[in-house]
Amino acid sequence: MTATKPHLDILLCAPRGFCAGVVRAIDAVERALAIYGPPVYVRHEIVHNRYVVESLKRKGAIFVDDLSEIPATTAPVIFSAHGVAKSVLEEAARRALFTIDATCPLVTKVHREAEIHYKRGRVVILIGHSGHPEVIGTMGQLPQGAILLVESMADIERLDAPDPDNLAYVTQTTLSVDDAADMVAALKQRFPKIAGPHREDICYATTNRQEAVKRVARDVDALIVVGSPNSSNSQRLREVAERSGCKTARLIPHVRDIDWDEFANVRRLAITAGASAPEILVDEIIQAFARRRDISVETISTADESVFFPLPRALRDEAAA
Ligand code: SF4
């Protein structure tokens, strides 16, 4: 006689997973491999996901942390979705490397905003996380000292702005929407004349995924964010779930990382995925639950996404030719 499996309601957040910037970056590497053949060099993880990086490695992509690791070559060198400092572009030009820039257009938008503020004589305050590749790339758009990084309310309180009437702010694209709103409000209170972006810098994908998590967080016993620990937007999704009332919110890179004991008494489970996590990782987790539990799956959708970014120009021109 087979034992009856206990029931589990799964609420699947939508939108979840890949955003338009990640799709474009991965497509860029795959298209470059198809056009030019391996190897294709990629500076930094093209997106923050181990599964994606490993599968591109198997196809012939070589990931490097620094351009100095790349020998003299005519092979393409691709810059990741997070963007790069101007010094990296200059170094690549000096070495006459054939570069393809897969920086997400929504990150490029922040770079251009920072440049415009600088040209207007403003000191730029960047709200972001120190050490994240996107923050390094954004700070590297301007000369050293032209951008001041703030990570917390405490940073804003102790900020020593050289000319308080001539400031602007930009933000990392993958912040917590609520945290960023609080920090922007604090900046405006301290520096009433501070200039800001015309449209939010936090991207549509970050905003939509956080909204979907907020919708379900209180209605479930636990929530899984499928994503890598170094993925900023995935980390924020876990935090948003906790702050919205979910007692157990876990970031799970892969089905093998699940602590099954932790989910033994869960009756309602929500699942989402960071913008760099492929859907196959979500499917594998649902299948693993289905082997242990009698599951029903309901999709909870809070927004429709139809954003699409064309491939970097170098690849579009080559494909057209
Ligand atoms: S998370 Fe947002 S900014 Fe980052 S790649 Fe995706 S769309 Fe672009």
Side-chain angles (χ1 to χ4, degrees), residues 19-22 81 104-107 134 173-174 201 203-206 233 275 309:
C19 60
V22 162
C104 176
L106 299 181
V107 174
E134 183 187 321
T173 57
T174 50
D201 289 335
C203 75
Y204 79 95
T206 299
N233 77 85
F309 298 132

Side-chain angles (χ1 to χ4, degrees), residues 162-302:
D163 180 359
D165 288 343
N166 236 347
L167 295 175
Y169 75 86
V170 296
T171 81
Q172 194 176 331
T173 57
T174 50
L175 298 178
S176 148
V177 172
D178 295 336
D179 283 354
D182 289 347
M183 291 179 72
V184 167
L187 277 174
K188 286 180 174 167
Q189 193 167 20
R190 261 209 78 187
F191 309 108
K193 291 192 177 167
I194 194 166
H198 294 298
R199 275 189 73 183
E200 283 304 315
D201 289 335
I202 296 178
C203 75
Y204 79 95
T206 299
T207 307
N208 289 347
R209 281 149 191 70
Q210 289 180 17
E211 269 312 308
V213 163
K214 282 183 197 170
R215 171 75 67 86
V216 299
R218 254 182 237 285
D219 298 338
V220 294
D221 306 313
L223 179 142
I224 287 175
V225 179
V226 184
S228 294
N230 60 346
S231 160
S232 172
N233 77 85
S234 302
Q235 287 284 10
R236 301 296 84 76
L237 288 173
R238 190 191 57 72
E239 290 170 6
V240 166
E242 275 178 353
R243 286 181 200 169
S244 304
C246 181
K247 287 184 284 299
T248 306
R250 296 288 177 263
L251 183 61
I252 305 280
H254 192 274
V255 63
R256 63 176 164 261
D257 301 308
I258 293 178
D259 173 358
W260 291 104
D261 290 343
E262 198 170 31
F263 294 93
N265 296 319
V266 169
R267 296 285 170 262
R268 279 168 77 77
L269 171 73
I271 301 180
T272 185
S276 46
E279 188 64 9
I280 186 172
L281 300 181
V282 175
D283 291 342
E284 285 175 0
I285 287 174
I286 293 173
Q287 284 163 23
F289 272 104
R291 287 194 288 277
R292 293 163 174 80
R293 309 284 287 271
D294 166 35
I295 65 166
S296 65
V297 180
E298 181 188 359
T299 298
I300 306 294
S301 182
T302 51

